[in-house]
Amino acid sequence: MTGEPDPATLDELATEAVRPKLADLDTWPTSDAVRQFFDDQDDVTSALRSAAHQITAVVDVIAERMRAGGRLIYVGAGTGGRLAALDAAEVGPTYGVRGRVVAVFAGGVDAMTDGREFYEDDAAEGARQVRALRPAKADVVVGISASGRTPFVLGGVGAARETGAHTVALVNVIGSRLAAVADSAIEVASGPEIITGSTRLKAGTAQKTVLNVLSTMAMVRLGRTYGNLMVDVVADNGKLRRRALRAVVQATGVSEERAAAALDEAGGQAKVAIVALLGGVTAARASALLEEASGRIRDAIALAYRPD
């Protein structure tokens, strides 16, 4: 049993609507078609702004749950699943939170490059894969589905709800099945696509933006940045080591030579180097202060100057 919804209901969705003015798109000059793509981004931006209050509320929930030790778990299929897998893969090394932002993607790694969209019709498999992660009350599970009716995602979100995890629907239509069963909903009504039903276009752009906002702002709220500097980046290549050095210089105003020395003493950890320099303490003391301050640089610096 796949739990596949009535195919006819797909025709009623705004994301599937036909745009009559594009009926002869294949005859347009390339320049006009390209401009139409750009004009469509205005629709995406407007839809995102309309959903800003929903996005804000979910960011705060994610930050609260992750502060308590929880994870951010994405569940998706097709374009939404691929975008979720990308976001999860990039958040870990960028903010030093490996294993705490994960994605369940219909079809797995093989479906990333070899389209296997039939996996999205299997609600039971979505539920099985989410249960395999053993979600708990501290976790947030975000289901991504342009239509809000994808069985794999519905199954995964349903399984997450059984455990008490906070569930979120990220959809591109208003009033979907997924939004109805989730604890929170982010409804970005991006509208009809240039190519009818091709939701990797406007809907995909909207989804990627929302995922970027959710993961990035949750990391900011958790103190994984200092201002807008990536101070928790895992500096395991030349580019990232340079970025870490630059962050220390920008945060403290010291010379590159002094920043490099502080980084060496801190074992390459930019946060430790910054607290050591701004707090006037050793790297070992800076590390202890950061632990006491739950990783927040500003709080750690304040602790460095507290009266004995």
Side-chain angles (χ1 to χ4, degrees):
M1 176 177 164
T2 64
E4 183 178 356
D6 177 6
T9 63
L10 186 69
D11 302 341
E12 303 168 4
L13 300 176
T15 50
E16 299 292 323
V18 175
R19 296 165 67 174
K21 79 168 192 174
L22 303 181
D24 58 351
L25 177 68
D26 55 327
T27 70
W28 287 20
T30 302
S31 59
D32 291 349
V34 168
R35 277 195 293 271
Q36 183 63 61
F37 267 90
F38 296 158
D39 289 346
D40 268 25
Q41 301 316 299
D42 293 337
D43 295 342
V44 175
T45 300
S46 178
L48 287 165
R49 291 188 186 282
S50 294
H53 63 294
Q54 296 176 330
I55 298 168
T56 299
V58 171
V59 166
D60 288 339
V61 171
I62 293 170
E64 178 185 0
R65 299 286 177 112
M66 291 192 76
R67 194 175 291 116
R71 295 168 295 172
L72 173 57
I73 300 171
Y74 296 138
V75 185
T79 296
R82 294 183 183 94
L83 292 171
L86 173 64
D87 195 74
E90 292 183 337
V91 169
T94 302
Y95 299 105
V97 290
R98 294 189 188 279
R100 297 192 61 200
V101 180
V102 296
V104 172
F105 174 42
V109 174
D110 290 341
M112 288 294 293
T113 56
D114 180 13
R116 301 184 179 190
E117 310 307 271
F118 53 86
Y119 283 109
E120 73 177 48
D121 289 338
D122 196 337
E125 181 62 11
R128 186 194 70 77
Q129 290 194 31
V130 168
R131 290 191 185 107
L133 292 175
R134 299 179 182 271
K137 289 184 178 180
D139 295 330
V140 177
V141 178
V142 180
I144 304 102
S145 170
S147 66
R149 65 195 282 284
T150 306
F152 183 93
V153 179
L154 285 164
V157 168
R161 285 205 70 185
E162 293 170 2
T163 70
H166 187 91
T167 56
V168 179
L170 170 51
V171 296
N172 294 94
V173 293
I174 305 296
S176 67
R177 286 179 59 187
L178 186 58
V181 301
D183 297 306
S184 301
I186 298 174
E187 297 171 308
V188 185
S190 48
E193 303 285 1
I194 288 180
I195 306 300
T196 304
S198 183
T199 50
R200 73 183 185 88
L201 303 177
K202 288 197 298 182
T205 298
Q207 290 168 354
K208 187 177 193 307
T209 301
V210 173
L211 293 170
N212 283 168
V213 173
L214 295 183
S215 59
T216 301
M217 289 310 303
M219 294 300 106
V220 172
R221 297 276 78 83
L222 289 170
R224 293 283 171 172
T225 66
Y226 182 55
N228 69 333
L229 300 175
M230 289 195 301
V231 293
D232 256 322
V233 65
V234 179
D236 56 5
N237 65 29
K239 175 190 72 177
L240 296 177
R241 285 190 290 273
R242 178 65 190 175
R243 192 170 286 164
L245 176 62
R246 193 168 67 240
V248 175
V249 170
Q250 291 170 335
T252 64
V254 302
S255 67
E256 284 198 7
E257 291 74 18
R258 190 176 174 194
L263 268 174
D264 286 342
E265 293 175 9
Q269 299 180 66
K271 289 178 83 167
V272 174
I274 291 168
V275 173
L277 288 167
L278 294 181
V281 296
T282 65
R285 178 60 178 155
S287 182
L289 290 171
L290 278 166
E291 184 173 354
E292 186 178 351
S294 299
R296 300 187 65 84
I297 288 179
R298 295 184 194 280
D299 293 344
I301 294 170
L303 290 172
Y305 287 102
R306 65 186 167 186
D308 292 333

